[in-house]
Structures are given as structure tokens and as C-alpha cells.
Amino acid sequence: MDDRCVWCGAGLPGGRRRRYCPRPRSCRQEAYRERRRAAAALRARIALLQISREIRARCEALELLVADAVGNERADAGLHSTAAADFRHLTSELVRCAVIADREVGATWEQIGRPHGLSADAARARYGRARLLWPPPRPE
């Protein structure tokens, strides 16, 4: 076994077999926090995967619907809007889960806000209280 701290790489005192620095326990606590963040980020990534699959399925259904309407040269009134209505909800959920996943792995608000065209303060105000709500509860 290596006689270095698993977290910071500092040399460990001889004697007992240790994985982390003995005192203060900051390395052990940081490793624990990192494992917790990774587990929370995994849940958000799974939600991202599920939402992206749902979006893909709805895109394919919309493509078939539009192709059928073009082939028949006629479509029922409101059919296109009805087919596309859920995309706004799904994309907002996708963005929310992405922000949660990024925060769990330690991204700053500036890093999160930049792709959305937001300042760090605006990103924090918009997504600061976001919690993982995916998958939505199923109706009984």
C-alpha cells in the first residue's frame, strides 16, 4: 500500500495503514464530499439521458406527422402545434437538469451562465434553487 494520502498526495506517517491525512480530517472530508457530489451528478446525468431520449422520440413522431401531412397535402387544424407543444417543457427540464449536473460537479455560475447568455448573477438567480424533479411522478 502506498504511504501517501489518497486525496492530497502528502506523505503519511508510518505505523498504521491509512488512506488519508490523520489530522485535520480535511482530506477525508473532501473525499467524502466529492463522492456525494459525484452520486448527485449521476442522478442528474441519468435524468438528462432520459429527457434527451424523450425529446428524440417526440422529434421522430413530429417528423412522421409532418411527412404524413406533406404526403396527404392536408393536415388537421392544430395538429402541428399539439405535436410540438411539449418540446418547450422538455427543453426547459433538460436545461435545468444540465445546470444541476454542472453545479454538482463544481461548475461556477459564470461557467453555467455563459452558454445561456447570462451573467453569473443572472444564472444564480434563475437556477439557484433548481432541484432534480425528474422523472415526473406518474399518474395513478
PDB file of all heavy atoms in Angstrom, residues 35-74:
ATOM      1  N   ARG A  35     -17.378  12.263  -3.301  1.00  0.00           N
ATOM      2  CA  ARG A  35     -18.195  11.076  -3.616  1.00  0.00           C
ATOM      3  C   ARG A  35     -19.676  11.417  -3.604  1.00  0.00           C
ATOM      4  O   ARG A  35     -20.435  10.946  -4.451  1.00  0.00           O
ATOM      5  CB  ARG A  35     -17.896   9.950  -2.630  1.00  0.00           C
ATOM      6  CG  ARG A  35     -16.550   9.290  -2.832  1.00  0.00           C
ATOM      7  CD  ARG A  35     -16.407   8.009  -2.025  1.00  0.00           C
ATOM      8  NE  ARG A  35     -16.647   8.172  -0.613  1.00  0.00           N
ATOM      9  CZ  ARG A  35     -15.720   8.473   0.292  1.00  0.00           C
ATOM     10  NH1 ARG A  35     -14.469   8.655  -0.091  1.00  0.00           N
ATOM     11  NH2 ARG A  35     -16.025   8.583   1.571  1.00  0.00           N
ATOM     12  N   ARG A  36     -20.102  12.241  -2.663  1.00  0.00           N
ATOM     13  CA  ARG A  36     -21.506  12.665  -2.598  1.00  0.00           C
ATOM     14  C   ARG A  36     -21.888  13.496  -3.811  1.00  0.00           C
ATOM     15  O   ARG A  36     -22.964  13.321  -4.380  1.00  0.00           O
ATOM     16  CB  ARG A  36     -21.761  13.471  -1.320  1.00  0.00           C
ATOM     17  CG  ARG A  36     -21.569  12.720  -0.030  1.00  0.00           C
ATOM     18  CD  ARG A  36     -22.783  11.989   0.345  1.00  0.00           C
ATOM     19  NE  ARG A  36     -23.882  12.932   0.420  1.00  0.00           N
ATOM     20  CZ  ARG A  36     -24.917  12.820   1.195  1.00  0.00           C
ATOM     21  NH1 ARG A  36     -25.008  11.809   1.983  1.00  0.00           N
ATOM     22  NH2 ARG A  36     -25.875  13.707   1.171  1.00  0.00           N
ATOM     23  N   ARG A  37     -21.015  14.431  -4.217  1.00  0.00           N
ATOM     24  CA  ARG A  37     -21.282  15.247  -5.404  1.00  0.00           C
ATOM     25  C   ARG A  37     -21.367  14.380  -6.645  1.00  0.00           C
ATOM     26  O   ARG A  37     -22.228  14.593  -7.499  1.00  0.00           O
ATOM     27  CB  ARG A  37     -20.196  16.308  -5.582  1.00  0.00           C
ATOM     28  CG  ARG A  37     -20.341  17.496  -4.675  1.00  0.00           C
ATOM     29  CD  ARG A  37     -19.427  18.624  -5.116  1.00  0.00           C
ATOM     30  NE  ARG A  37     -18.020  18.318  -4.920  1.00  0.00           N
ATOM     31  CZ  ARG A  37     -17.315  18.653  -3.856  1.00  0.00           C
ATOM     32  NH1 ARG A  37     -17.883  19.311  -2.868  1.00  0.00           N
ATOM     33  NH2 ARG A  37     -16.043  18.354  -3.769  1.00  0.00           N
ATOM     34  N   ALA A  38     -20.484  13.403  -6.753  1.00  0.00           N
ATOM     35  CA  ALA A  38     -20.491  12.520  -7.918  1.00  0.00           C
ATOM     36  C   ALA A  38     -21.782  11.705  -7.975  1.00  0.00           C
ATOM     37  O   ALA A  38     -22.355  11.512  -9.054  1.00  0.00           O
ATOM     38  CB  ALA A  38     -19.281  11.592  -7.882  1.00  0.00           C
ATOM     39  N   ALA A  39     -22.267  11.243  -6.830  1.00  0.00           N
ATOM     40  CA  ALA A  39     -23.520  10.476  -6.809  1.00  0.00           C
ATOM     41  C   ALA A  39     -24.698  11.361  -7.209  1.00  0.00           C
ATOM     42  O   ALA A  39     -25.574  10.938  -7.973  1.00  0.00           O
ATOM     43  CB  ALA A  39     -23.751   9.879  -5.422  1.00  0.00           C
ATOM     44  N   ALA A  40     -24.731  12.593  -6.726  1.00  0.00           N
ATOM     45  CA  ALA A  40     -25.812  13.510  -7.092  1.00  0.00           C
ATOM     46  C   ALA A  40     -25.738  13.878  -8.561  1.00  0.00           C
ATOM     47  O   ALA A  40     -26.764  13.976  -9.240  1.00  0.00           O
ATOM     48  CB  ALA A  40     -25.747  14.765  -6.217  1.00  0.00           C
ATOM     49  N   ALA A  41     -24.534  14.071  -9.085  1.00  0.00           N
ATOM     50  CA  ALA A  41     -24.378  14.387 -10.507  1.00  0.00           C
ATOM     51  C   ALA A  41     -24.811  13.217 -11.367  1.00  0.00           C
ATOM     52  O   ALA A  41     -25.359  13.406 -12.458  1.00  0.00           O
ATOM     53  CB  ALA A  41     -22.935  14.773 -10.808  1.00  0.00           C
ATOM     54  N   LEU A  42     -24.604  12.002 -10.905  1.00  0.00           N
ATOM     55  CA  LEU A  42     -25.021  10.821 -11.661  1.00  0.00           C
ATOM     56  C   LEU A  42     -26.535  10.810 -11.837  1.00  0.00           C
ATOM     57  O   LEU A  42     -27.035  10.530 -12.930  1.00  0.00           O
ATOM     58  CB  LEU A  42     -24.537   9.546 -10.974  1.00  0.00           C
ATOM     59  CG  LEU A  42     -24.933   8.244 -11.654  1.00  0.00           C
ATOM     60  CD1 LEU A  42     -24.288   8.157 -13.034  1.00  0.00           C
ATOM     61  CD2 LEU A  42     -24.533   7.064 -10.800  1.00  0.00           C
ATOM     62  N   ARG A  43     -27.263  11.142 -10.781  1.00  0.00           N
ATOM     63  CA  ARG A  43     -28.729  11.198 -10.892  1.00  0.00           C
ATOM     64  C   ARG A  43     -29.149  12.225 -11.926  1.00  0.00           C
ATOM     65  O   ARG A  43     -30.047  11.989 -12.734  1.00  0.00           O
ATOM     66  CB  ARG A  43     -29.351  11.532  -9.532  1.00  0.00           C
ATOM     67  CG  ARG A  43     -29.280  10.402  -8.548  1.00  0.00           C
ATOM     68  CD  ARG A  43     -29.996  10.672  -7.228  1.00  0.00           C
ATOM     69  NE  ARG A  43     -31.055  11.637  -7.297  1.00  0.00           N
ATOM     70  CZ  ARG A  43     -31.141  12.717  -6.523  1.00  0.00           C
ATOM     71  NH1 ARG A  43     -30.233  12.955  -5.628  1.00  0.00           N
ATOM     72  NH2 ARG A  43     -32.147  13.544  -6.639  1.00  0.00           N
ATOM     73  N   ALA A  44     -28.499  13.393 -11.928  1.00  0.00           N
ATOM     74  CA  ALA A  44     -28.835  14.435 -12.893  1.00  0.00           C
ATOM     75  C   ALA A  44     -28.468  14.005 -14.309  1.00  0.00           C
ATOM     76  O   ALA A  44     -29.204  14.286 -15.258  1.00  0.00           O
ATOM     77  CB  ALA A  44     -28.120  15.738 -12.534  1.00  0.00           C
ATOM     78  N   ARG A  45     -27.354  13.292 -14.469  1.00  0.00           N
ATOM     79  CA  ARG A  45     -26.973  12.807 -15.800  1.00  0.00           C
ATOM     80  C   ARG A  45     -27.950  11.764 -16.318  1.00  0.00           C
ATOM     81  O   ARG A  45     -28.252  11.726 -17.512  1.00  0.00           O
ATOM     82  CB  ARG A  45     -25.567  12.233 -15.756  1.00  0.00           C
ATOM     83  CG  ARG A  45     -24.508  13.278 -15.612  1.00  0.00           C
ATOM     84  CD  ARG A  45     -23.129  12.652 -15.647  1.00  0.00           C
ATOM     85  NE  ARG A  45     -22.146  13.636 -15.258  1.00  0.00           N
ATOM     86  CZ  ARG A  45     -21.216  13.418 -14.345  1.00  0.00           C
ATOM     87  NH1 ARG A  45     -21.134  12.252 -13.744  1.00  0.00           N
ATOM     88  NH2 ARG A  45     -20.363  14.366 -14.040  1.00  0.00           N
ATOM     89  N   ILE A  46     -28.430  10.907 -15.439  1.00  0.00           N
ATOM     90  CA  ILE A  46     -29.428   9.916 -15.845  1.00  0.00           C
ATOM     91  C   ILE A  46     -30.703  10.631 -16.293  1.00  0.00           C
ATOM     92  O   ILE A  46     -31.315  10.262 -17.295  1.00  0.00           O
ATOM     93  CB  ILE A  46     -29.694   8.913 -14.709  1.00  0.00           C
ATOM     94  CG1 ILE A  46     -28.476   8.011 -14.520  1.00  0.00           C
ATOM     95  CG2 ILE A  46     -30.940   8.086 -14.981  1.00  0.00           C
ATOM     96  CD1 ILE A  46     -28.523   7.142 -13.289  1.00  0.00           C
ATOM     97  N   ALA A  47     -31.096  11.668 -15.569  1.00  0.00           N
ATOM     98  CA  ALA A  47     -32.268  12.452 -15.966  1.00  0.00           C
ATOM     99  C   ALA A  47     -32.038  13.113 -17.322  1.00  0.00           C
ATOM    100  O   ALA A  47     -32.940  13.139 -18.168  1.00  0.00           O
ATOM    101  CB  ALA A  47     -32.591  13.502 -14.909  1.00  0.00           C
ATOM    102  N   LEU A  48     -30.822  13.634 -17.562  1.00  0.00           N
ATOM    103  CA  LEU A  48     -30.504  14.219 -18.866  1.00  0.00           C
ATOM    104  C   LEU A  48     -30.654  13.190 -19.975  1.00  0.00           C
ATOM    105  O   LEU A  48     -31.203  13.482 -21.040  1.00  0.00           O
ATOM    106  CB  LEU A  48     -29.069  14.756 -18.868  1.00  0.00           C
ATOM    107  CG  LEU A  48     -28.829  16.092 -18.216  1.00  0.00           C
ATOM    108  CD1 LEU A  48     -27.332  16.348 -18.083  1.00  0.00           C
ATOM    109  CD2 LEU A  48     -29.475  17.187 -19.013  1.00  0.00           C
ATOM    110  N   LEU A  49     -30.177  11.994 -19.730  1.00  0.00           N
ATOM    111  CA  LEU A  49     -30.280  10.935 -20.726  1.00  0.00           C
ATOM    112  C   LEU A  49     -31.738  10.585 -21.008  1.00  0.00           C
ATOM    113  O   LEU A  49     -32.149  10.443 -22.166  1.00  0.00           O
ATOM    114  CB  LEU A  49     -29.509   9.703 -20.248  1.00  0.00           C
ATOM    115  CG  LEU A  49     -29.471   8.512 -21.185  1.00  0.00           C
ATOM    116  CD1 LEU A  49     -28.776   8.880 -22.483  1.00  0.00           C
ATOM    117  CD2 LEU A  49     -28.775   7.349 -20.514  1.00  0.00           C
ATOM    118  N   GLN A  50     -32.535  10.462 -19.963  1.00  0.00           N
ATOM    119  CA  GLN A  50     -33.954  10.136 -20.144  1.00  0.00           C
ATOM    120  C   GLN A  50     -34.695  11.244 -20.888  1.00  0.00           C
ATOM    121  O   GLN A  50     -35.511  10.965 -21.769  1.00  0.00           O
ATOM    122  CB  GLN A  50     -34.608   9.880 -18.788  1.00  0.00           C
ATOM    123  CG  GLN A  50     -34.124   8.624 -18.119  1.00  0.00           C
ATOM    124  CD  GLN A  50     -34.626   8.495 -16.695  1.00  0.00           C
ATOM    125  OE1 GLN A  50     -35.041   9.462 -16.074  1.00  0.00           O
ATOM    126  NE2 GLN A  50     -34.582   7.275 -16.170  1.00  0.00           N
ATOM    127  N   ILE A  51     -34.414  12.486 -20.555  1.00  0.00           N
ATOM    128  CA  ILE A  51     -35.082  13.603 -21.228  1.00  0.00           C
ATOM    129  C   ILE A  51     -34.658  13.664 -22.688  1.00  0.00           C
ATOM    130  O   ILE A  51     -35.491  13.884 -23.576  1.00  0.00           O
ATOM    131  CB  ILE A  51     -34.781  14.933 -20.507  1.00  0.00           C
ATOM    132  CG1 ILE A  51     -35.426  14.939 -19.120  1.00  0.00           C
ATOM    133  CG2 ILE A  51     -35.287  16.115 -21.318  1.00  0.00           C
ATOM    134  CD1 ILE A  51     -34.988  16.082 -18.244  1.00  0.00           C
ATOM    135  N   SER A  52     -33.377  13.463 -22.967  1.00  0.00           N
ATOM    136  CA  SER A  52     -32.922  13.510 -24.362  1.00  0.00           C
ATOM    137  C   SER A  52     -33.544  12.388 -25.183  1.00  0.00           C
ATOM    138  O   SER A  52     -33.885  12.578 -26.347  1.00  0.00           O
ATOM    139  CB  SER A  52     -31.397  13.467 -24.442  1.00  0.00           C
ATOM    140  OG  SER A  52     -30.904  12.236 -23.958  1.00  0.00           O
ATOM    141  N   ARG A  53     -33.732  11.226 -24.578  1.00  0.00           N
ATOM    142  CA  ARG A  53     -34.420  10.137 -25.283  1.00  0.00           C
ATOM    143  C   ARG A  53     -35.878  10.499 -25.560  1.00  0.00           C
ATOM    144  O   ARG A  53     -36.398  10.199 -26.631  1.00  0.00           O
ATOM    145  CB  ARG A  53     -34.344   8.850 -24.475  1.00  0.00           C
ATOM    146  CG  ARG A  53     -32.989   8.209 -24.497  1.00  0.00           C
ATOM    147  CD  ARG A  53     -32.949   6.943 -23.698  1.00  0.00           C
ATOM    148  NE  ARG A  53     -31.633   6.344 -23.756  1.00  0.00           N
ATOM    149  CZ  ARG A  53     -31.213   5.430 -22.919  1.00  0.00           C
ATOM    150  NH1 ARG A  53     -31.998   4.995 -21.949  1.00  0.00           N
ATOM    151  NH2 ARG A  53     -30.000   4.933 -23.033  1.00  0.00           N
ATOM    152  N   GLU A  54     -36.505  11.129 -24.603  1.00  0.00           N
ATOM    153  CA  GLU A  54     -37.898  11.556 -24.789  1.00  0.00           C
ATOM    154  C   GLU A  54     -37.996  12.600 -25.900  1.00  0.00           C
ATOM    155  O   GLU A  54     -38.901  12.551 -26.739  1.00  0.00           O
ATOM    156  CB  GLU A  54     -38.442  12.120 -23.476  1.00  0.00           C
ATOM    157  CG  GLU A  54     -39.888  12.505 -23.513  1.00  0.00           C
ATOM    158  CD  GLU A  54     -40.824  11.316 -23.591  1.00  0.00           C
ATOM    159  OE1 GLU A  54     -40.448  10.217 -23.176  1.00  0.00           O
ATOM    160  OE2 GLU A  54     -41.959  11.501 -24.084  1.00  0.00           O
ATOM    161  N   ILE A  55     -37.060  13.536 -25.919  1.00  0.00           N
ATOM    162  CA  ILE A  55     -37.056  14.551 -26.975  1.00  0.00           C
ATOM    163  C   ILE A  55     -36.835  13.896 -28.335  1.00  0.00           C
ATOM    164  O   ILE A  55     -37.505  14.238 -29.307  1.00  0.00           O
ATOM    165  CB  ILE A  55     -35.987  15.632 -26.691  1.00  0.00           C
ATOM    166  CG1 ILE A  55     -36.430  16.495 -25.513  1.00  0.00           C
ATOM    167  CG2 ILE A  55     -35.735  16.498 -27.919  1.00  0.00           C
ATOM    168  CD1 ILE A  55     -35.381  17.480 -25.040  1.00  0.00           C
ATOM    169  N   ARG A  56     -35.899  12.946 -28.396  1.00  0.00           N
ATOM    170  CA  ARG A  56     -35.645  12.249 -29.660  1.00  0.00           C
ATOM    171  C   ARG A  56     -36.891  11.518 -30.143  1.00  0.00           C
ATOM    172  O   ARG A  56     -37.245  11.582 -31.331  1.00  0.00           O
ATOM    173  CB  ARG A  56     -34.498  11.270 -29.516  1.00  0.00           C
ATOM    174  CG  ARG A  56     -34.168  10.575 -30.833  1.00  0.00           C
ATOM    175  CD  ARG A  56     -33.049   9.565 -30.734  1.00  0.00           C
ATOM    176  NE  ARG A  56     -31.844  10.166 -30.197  1.00  0.00           N
ATOM    177  CZ  ARG A  56     -31.147   9.624 -29.188  1.00  0.00           C
ATOM    178  NH1 ARG A  56     -31.538   8.519 -28.613  1.00  0.00           N
ATOM    179  NH2 ARG A  56     -30.064  10.211 -28.753  1.00  0.00           N
ATOM    180  N   ALA A  57     -37.582  10.843 -29.245  1.00  0.00           N
ATOM    181  CA  ALA A  57     -38.799  10.120 -29.630  1.00  0.00           C
ATOM    182  C   ALA A  57     -39.871  11.083 -30.131  1.00  0.00           C
ATOM    183  O   ALA A  57     -40.550  10.807 -31.134  1.00  0.00           O
ATOM    184  CB  ALA A  57     -39.326   9.313 -28.443  1.00  0.00           C
ATOM    185  N   ARG A  58     -40.005  12.212 -29.468  1.00  0.00           N
ATOM    186  CA  ARG A  58     -41.005  13.192 -29.907  1.00  0.00           C
ATOM    187  C   ARG A  58     -40.613  13.843 -31.234  1.00  0.00           C
ATOM    188  O   ARG A  58     -41.476  14.175 -32.038  1.00  0.00           O
ATOM    189  CB  ARG A  58     -41.220  14.242 -28.836  1.00  0.00           C
ATOM    190  CG  ARG A  58     -41.687  13.602 -27.542  1.00  0.00           C
ATOM    191  CD  ARG A  58     -42.853  14.236 -26.962  1.00  0.00           C
ATOM    192  NE  ARG A  58     -43.237  13.510 -25.760  1.00  0.00           N
ATOM    193  CZ  ARG A  58     -43.707  14.067 -24.689  1.00  0.00           C
ATOM    194  NH1 ARG A  58     -43.872  15.368 -24.644  1.00  0.00           N
ATOM    195  NH2 ARG A  58     -44.050  13.348 -23.660  1.00  0.00           N
ATOM    196  N   CYS A  59     -39.310  14.047 -31.457  1.00  0.00           N
ATOM    197  CA  CYS A  59     -38.853  14.586 -32.749  1.00  0.00           C
ATOM    198  C   CYS A  59     -39.183  13.613 -33.878  1.00  0.00           C
ATOM    199  O   CYS A  59     -39.629  14.029 -34.959  1.00  0.00           O
ATOM    200  CB  CYS A  59     -37.353  14.847 -32.729  1.00  0.00           C
ATOM    201  SG  CYS A  59     -36.875  16.340 -31.865  1.00  0.00           S
ATOM    202  N   GLU A  60     -38.958  12.332 -33.641  1.00  0.00           N
ATOM    203  CA  GLU A  60     -39.278  11.336 -34.659  1.00  0.00           C
ATOM    204  C   GLU A  60     -40.779  11.299 -34.936  1.00  0.00           C
ATOM    205  O   GLU A  60     -41.202  11.192 -36.090  1.00  0.00           O
ATOM    206  CB  GLU A  60     -38.769   9.966 -34.227  1.00  0.00           C
ATOM    207  CG  GLU A  60     -37.255   9.865 -34.238  1.00  0.00           C
ATOM    208  CD  GLU A  60     -36.734   8.589 -33.599  1.00  0.00           C
ATOM    209  OE1 GLU A  60     -37.560   7.765 -33.127  1.00  0.00           O
ATOM    210  OE2 GLU A  60     -35.504   8.417 -33.579  1.00  0.00           O
ATOM    211  N   ALA A  61     -41.582  11.397 -33.894  1.00  0.00           N
ATOM    212  CA  ALA A  61     -43.035  11.409 -34.079  1.00  0.00           C
ATOM    213  C   ALA A  61     -43.467  12.658 -34.846  1.00  0.00           C
ATOM    214  O   ALA A  61     -44.331  12.582 -35.739  1.00  0.00           O
ATOM    215  CB  ALA A  61     -43.740  11.347 -32.728  1.00  0.00           C
ATOM    216  N   LEU A  62     -42.870  13.800 -34.527  1.00  0.00           N
ATOM    217  CA  LEU A  62     -43.195  15.035 -35.241  1.00  0.00           C
ATOM    218  C   LEU A  62     -42.769  14.946 -36.703  1.00  0.00           C
ATOM    219  O   LEU A  62     -43.495  15.390 -37.596  1.00  0.00           O
ATOM    220  CB  LEU A  62     -42.530  16.230 -34.562  1.00  0.00           C
ATOM    221  CG  LEU A  62     -42.829  17.604 -35.163  1.00  0.00           C
ATOM    222  CD1 LEU A  62     -44.317  17.904 -35.104  1.00  0.00           C
ATOM    223  CD2 LEU A  62     -42.027  18.669 -34.435  1.00  0.00           C
ATOM    224  N   GLU A  63     -41.619  14.347 -36.952  1.00  0.00           N
ATOM    225  CA  GLU A  63     -41.152  14.177 -38.332  1.00  0.00           C
ATOM    226  C   GLU A  63     -42.119  13.306 -39.132  1.00  0.00           C
ATOM    227  O   GLU A  63     -42.456  13.630 -40.273  1.00  0.00           O
ATOM    228  CB  GLU A  63     -39.757  13.559 -38.325  1.00  0.00           C
ATOM    229  CG  GLU A  63     -39.165  13.385 -39.703  1.00  0.00           C
ATOM    230  CD  GLU A  63     -37.788  12.745 -39.658  1.00  0.00           C
ATOM    231  OE1 GLU A  63     -37.281  12.477 -38.559  1.00  0.00           O
ATOM    232  OE2 GLU A  63     -37.239  12.523 -40.734  1.00  0.00           O
ATOM    233  N   LEU A  64     -42.572  12.216 -38.529  1.00  0.00           N
ATOM    234  CA  LEU A  64     -43.546  11.354 -39.216  1.00  0.00           C
ATOM    235  C   LEU A  64     -44.858  12.095 -39.453  1.00  0.00           C
ATOM    236  O   LEU A  64     -45.474  11.961 -40.517  1.00  0.00           O
ATOM    237  CB  LEU A  64     -43.792  10.082 -38.401  1.00  0.00           C
ATOM    238  CG  LEU A  64     -42.634   9.106 -38.328  1.00  0.00           C
ATOM    239  CD1 LEU A  64     -42.971   7.970 -37.365  1.00  0.00           C
ATOM    240  CD2 LEU A  64     -42.303   8.563 -39.712  1.00  0.00           C
ATOM    241  N   LEU A  65     -45.274  12.873 -38.496  1.00  0.00           N
ATOM    242  CA  LEU A  65     -46.522  13.628 -38.621  1.00  0.00           C
ATOM    243  C   LEU A  65     -46.440  14.642 -39.757  1.00  0.00           C
ATOM    244  O   LEU A  65     -47.356  14.737 -40.579  1.00  0.00           O
ATOM    245  CB  LEU A  65     -46.828  14.339 -37.301  1.00  0.00           C
ATOM    246  CG  LEU A  65     -48.105  15.141 -37.249  1.00  0.00           C
ATOM    247  CD1 LEU A  65     -49.294  14.203 -37.222  1.00  0.00           C
ATOM    248  CD2 LEU A  65     -48.091  16.027 -36.030  1.00  0.00           C
ATOM    249  N   VAL A  66     -45.337  15.370 -39.818  1.00  0.00           N
ATOM    250  CA  VAL A  66     -45.170  16.362 -40.873  1.00  0.00           C
ATOM    251  C   VAL A  66     -45.023  15.686 -42.234  1.00  0.00           C
ATOM    252  O   VAL A  66     -45.600  16.141 -43.231  1.00  0.00           O
ATOM    253  CB  VAL A  66     -43.960  17.281 -40.563  1.00  0.00           C
ATOM    254  CG1 VAL A  66     -43.633  18.174 -41.743  1.00  0.00           C
ATOM    255  CG2 VAL A  66     -44.240  18.111 -39.321  1.00  0.00           C
ATOM    256  N   ALA A  67     -44.289  14.584 -42.299  1.00  0.00           N
ATOM    257  CA  ALA A  67     -44.153  13.859 -43.565  1.00  0.00           C
ATOM    258  C   ALA A  67     -45.502  13.348 -44.046  1.00  0.00           C
ATOM    259  O   ALA A  67     -45.810  13.400 -45.247  1.00  0.00           O
ATOM    260  CB  ALA A  67     -43.167  12.710 -43.403  1.00  0.00           C
ATOM    261  N   ASP A  68     -46.321  12.874 -43.110  1.00  0.00           N
ATOM    262  CA  ASP A  68     -47.655  12.401 -43.478  1.00  0.00           C
ATOM    263  C   ASP A  68     -48.520  13.556 -43.968  1.00  0.00           C
ATOM    264  O   ASP A  68     -49.271  13.413 -44.938  1.00  0.00           O
ATOM    265  CB  ASP A  68     -48.320  11.720 -42.273  1.00  0.00           C
ATOM    266  CG  ASP A  68     -49.642  11.086 -42.628  1.00  0.00           C
ATOM    267  OD1 ASP A  68     -49.707  10.388 -43.669  1.00  0.00           O
ATOM    268  OD2 ASP A  68     -50.614  11.304 -41.876  1.00  0.00           O
ATOM    269  N   ALA A  69     -48.412  14.717 -43.310  1.00  0.00           N
ATOM    270  CA  ALA A  69     -49.188  15.881 -43.733  1.00  0.00           C
ATOM    271  C   ALA A  69     -48.740  16.367 -45.104  1.00  0.00           C
ATOM    272  O   ALA A  69     -49.571  16.783 -45.932  1.00  0.00           O
ATOM    273  CB  ALA A  69     -49.045  17.001 -42.704  1.00  0.00           C
ATOM    274  N   VAL A  70     -47.451  16.309 -45.386  1.00  0.00           N
ATOM    275  CA  VAL A  70     -46.954  16.709 -46.700  1.00  0.00           C
ATOM    276  C   VAL A  70     -47.404  15.711 -47.764  1.00  0.00           C
ATOM    277  O   VAL A  70     -47.810  16.088 -48.867  1.00  0.00           O
ATOM    278  CB  VAL A  70     -45.409  16.848 -46.686  1.00  0.00           C
ATOM    279  CG1 VAL A  70     -44.845  16.973 -48.098  1.00  0.00           C
ATOM    280  CG2 VAL A  70     -44.998  18.028 -45.842  1.00  0.00           C
ATOM    281  N   GLY A  71     -47.361  14.434 -47.428  1.00  0.00           N
ATOM    282  CA  GLY A  71     -47.787  13.398 -48.372  1.00  0.00           C
ATOM    283  C   GLY A  71     -49.261  13.476 -48.694  1.00  0.00           C
ATOM    284  O   GLY A  71     -49.672  13.265 -49.845  1.00  0.00           O
ATOM    285  N   ASN A  72     -50.070  13.794 -47.738  1.00  0.00           N
ATOM    286  CA  ASN A  72     -51.522  13.895 -47.952  1.00  0.00           C
ATOM    287  C   ASN A  72     -51.934  15.287 -48.401  1.00  0.00           C
ATOM    288  O   ASN A  72     -53.096  15.491 -48.757  1.00  0.00           O
ATOM    289  CB  ASN A  72     -52.279  13.541 -46.668  1.00  0.00           C
ATOM    290  CG  ASN A  72     -52.118  12.093 -46.299  1.00  0.00           C
ATOM    291  OD1 ASN A  72     -51.829  11.252 -47.154  1.00  0.00           O
ATOM    292  ND2 ASN A  72     -52.298  11.795 -45.024  1.00  0.00           N
ATOM    293  N   GLU A  73     -51.007  16.228 -48.350  1.00  0.00           N
ATOM    294  CA  GLU A  73     -51.249  17.629 -48.695  1.00  0.00           C
ATOM    295  C   GLU A  73     -52.365  18.249 -47.870  1.00  0.00           C
ATOM    296  O   GLU A  73     -53.032  19.171 -48.298  1.00  0.00           O
ATOM    297  CB  GLU A  73     -51.547  17.776 -50.195  1.00  0.00           C
ATOM    298  CG  GLU A  73     -50.381  17.394 -51.069  1.00  0.00           C
ATOM    299  CD  GLU A  73     -50.682  17.578 -52.535  1.00  0.00           C
ATOM    300  OE1 GLU A  73     -51.776  18.054 -52.889  1.00  0.00           O
ATOM    301  OE2 GLU A  73     -49.802  17.226 -53.334  1.00  0.00           O
ATOM    302  N   ARG A  74     -52.569  17.723 -46.685  1.00  0.00           N
ATOM    303  CA  ARG A  74     -53.610  18.259 -45.804  1.00  0.00           C
ATOM    304  C   ARG A  74     -53.352  17.750 -44.401  1.00  0.00           C
ATOM    305  O   ARG A  74     -52.859  16.657 -44.209  1.00  0.00           O
ATOM    306  CB  ARG A  74     -54.952  17.859 -46.365  1.00  0.00           C
ATOM    307  CG  ARG A  74     -55.975  17.324 -45.468  1.00  0.00           C
ATOM    308  CD  ARG A  74     -57.304  17.170 -46.195  1.00  0.00           C
ATOM    309  NE  ARG A  74     -58.378  17.737 -45.420  1.00  0.00           N
ATOM    310  CZ  ARG A  74     -58.882  17.154 -44.360  1.00  0.00           C
ATOM    311  NH1 ARG A  74     -58.403  16.011 -43.953  1.00  0.00           N
ATOM    312  NH2 ARG A  74     -59.853  17.731 -43.692  1.00  0.00           N
TER     313      ARG A  74
END
